[in-house]
Amino acid sequence: MKRKIYFAAALVGVAFSLTACDDNCLDPQSVITADLVEKTPLDYWLEVNYLQPYNIEIKYRYEYNETEGSFFTVPANYDDAVAMAHIVKYSCVEAYDEVAGIDFTRQYFPKMFFFEGEWHWRNNGSFELGTAEGGKKIFLMGLNYMDEYTKNLDLLNYFYLKTIHHEFTHILNQTVEYPASYQLITGTGYVADSWTDYPWTEGYLKRGFISAYAQQSDEEDFAEMLSTYVTSTPEQWEVYMEEAADSVYDGGTTARDLLESKLDIVRTYMVDNFGIDLDRLRNTVLRREQDIIDGKIDLADVSVD
């Protein structure tokens, strides 16, 4: 709140000084022009690696009009923006190239990424990792914390990569709706924004949800199922299923049965509508993510031929 007050006070001071100045003391040439934004090595790299092959724009400079006014937002650090541009390209964009072909990626992948330095914190203590807008744009947040997470695959997935797959799933859903039967599997279990409160923060697997956030709505549930599956090893996924199997409902149905029914719908949806085998996608994503963790990808290189 203080930052907003100080900013407003600074603007008032500027306005007062302008009204006190004679017209002759004002420079007729505006000092706020797009021409004064000098291109960086990253700009040239993005043009070659995103814009030319995919028509995808990465915005890493702070633009107030692109931000959500109800949150405190800060710019992404330049070096972190460079690293994230590499990570998104190698582990996400090119993973879909490999599995579904570059034409799929060109057609469906969002045409703009907007990088922000801070998470979008909410009053209930939760925070947004990313959002998708209109099937065209993904906001990816918290880049200024990347140094803490890029050496650990679980954390890299949790804070960044799973978010990209989650938001991309929303974009695919906006293109082709998933079957209405999906929301009926655990139809009475969705709790809206209460998913951040006890007891919904615990025991969600035993209720047939792959994450606490999946309890928010069937739309989030579907995106969580796909994004969690493709960023989890088979061993990790089996641990989730075994925990869910402990919960038995009337008729012998387990929470594992509920989760597997959801996964079956996700699998069929991806194959029938986009020709994507979910297991092949997972294998590709995990291999590429491990390459990043193993240092096989230079996340600082912005040289172009």
Side-chain angles (χ1 to χ4, degrees), residues 16-271:
F16 178 80
S17 65
L18 288 177
T19 57
C21 179
D22 184 272
D23 289 343
N24 294 328
C25 72
L26 297 178
D27 189 337
Q29 178 64 43
S30 172
V31 297
I32 305 176
T33 67
D35 294 338
L36 295 180
V37 178
E38 184 177 352
K39 279 192 172 183
T40 67
L42 176 57
D43 290 318
Y44 293 105
W45 187 90
L46 291 173
E47 183 174 348
V48 171
N49 290 277
Y50 277 93
L51 195 58
Q52 292 177 4
Y54 302 104
N55 195 29
I56 294 173
E57 182 180 8
I58 303 288
K59 289 191 173 186
Y60 65 93
R61 293 180 176 88
Y62 188 82
E63 295 184 24
Y64 179 76
N65 289 339
E66 292 285 5
T67 62
E68 172 57 58
S70 58
F71 295 101
F72 170 64
T73 57
V74 300
N77 294 328
Y78 177 83
D79 290 342
D80 293 325
V82 171
M84 183 56 72
H86 276 286
I87 290 171
V88 172
K89 175 178 178 286
Y90 186 77
S91 68
C92 298
V93 176
E94 292 180 344
Y96 285 101
D97 282 354
E98 181 177 334
V99 172
I102 195 170
D103 289 340
F104 167 87
T105 314
R106 286 170 173 164
Q107 180 176 356
Y108 294 110
F109 218 75
K111 296 308 177 189
M112 181 182 293
F113 275 79
F114 188 76
F115 292 167
E116 294 185 16
E118 184 55 80
W119 314 114
H120 283 187
W121 289 91
R122 294 176 172 176
N123 292 334
N124 61 8
S126 67
F127 56 91
E128 293 180 355
L129 300 171
T131 60
E133 181 180 296
K136 299 178 181 179
K137 183 188 306 184
I138 286 182
F139 291 82
L140 197 60
M141 303 144 191
L143 264 68
N144 294 352
Y145 298 98
M146 283 185 60
D147 286 346
E148 302 176 31
Y149 307 127
T150 50
K151 302 302 181 184
N152 182 301
L153 185 56
D154 289 338
L155 295 178
L156 184 64
N157 268 322
Y158 179 79
F159 286 105
Y160 303 108
L161 301 185
K162 179 175 171 287
T163 299
I164 296 171
H165 293 288
H166 178 108
E167 298 302 336
F168 186 41
T169 303
H170 283 316
I171 289 173
L172 294 179
N173 293 161
Q174 291 167 11
T175 304
V176 181
E177 292 185 2
Y178 55 84
S181 58
Y182 185 93
Q183 62 184 298
L184 302 178
I185 296 174
T186 50
T188 61
Y190 298 110
V191 297
D193 289 340
S194 294
W195 69 271
T196 61
D197 302 328
Y198 182 83
W200 312 115
T201 51
E202 300 177 3
Y204 45 83
L205 287 166
K206 297 180 183 299
R207 294 190 289 273
F209 296 96
I210 199 60
S211 70
Y213 187 38
Q215 300 167 110
Q216 203 270 353
S217 65
D218 59 278
E219 292 93 344
E220 302 304 336
D221 190 4
F222 191 97
E224 281 292 278
M225 282 296 295
L226 190 150
S227 59
T228 303
Y229 188 79
V230 301
T231 56
S232 298
T233 65
E235 294 76 18
Q236 289 172 324
W237 188 262
E238 183 58 27
V239 169
Y240 300 149
M241 295 303 101
E242 289 178 359
E243 181 175 343
D246 290 339
S247 183
V248 182
Y249 298 91
D250 292 341
T253 300
T254 67
R256 177 172 187 156
D257 295 328
L258 300 177
L259 286 166
E260 290 181 341
S261 294
K262 292 179 180 181
L263 184 61
D264 285 342
I265 292 178
V266 174
R267 286 183 189 278
T268 302
Y269 170 86
M270 293 298 288
V271 170

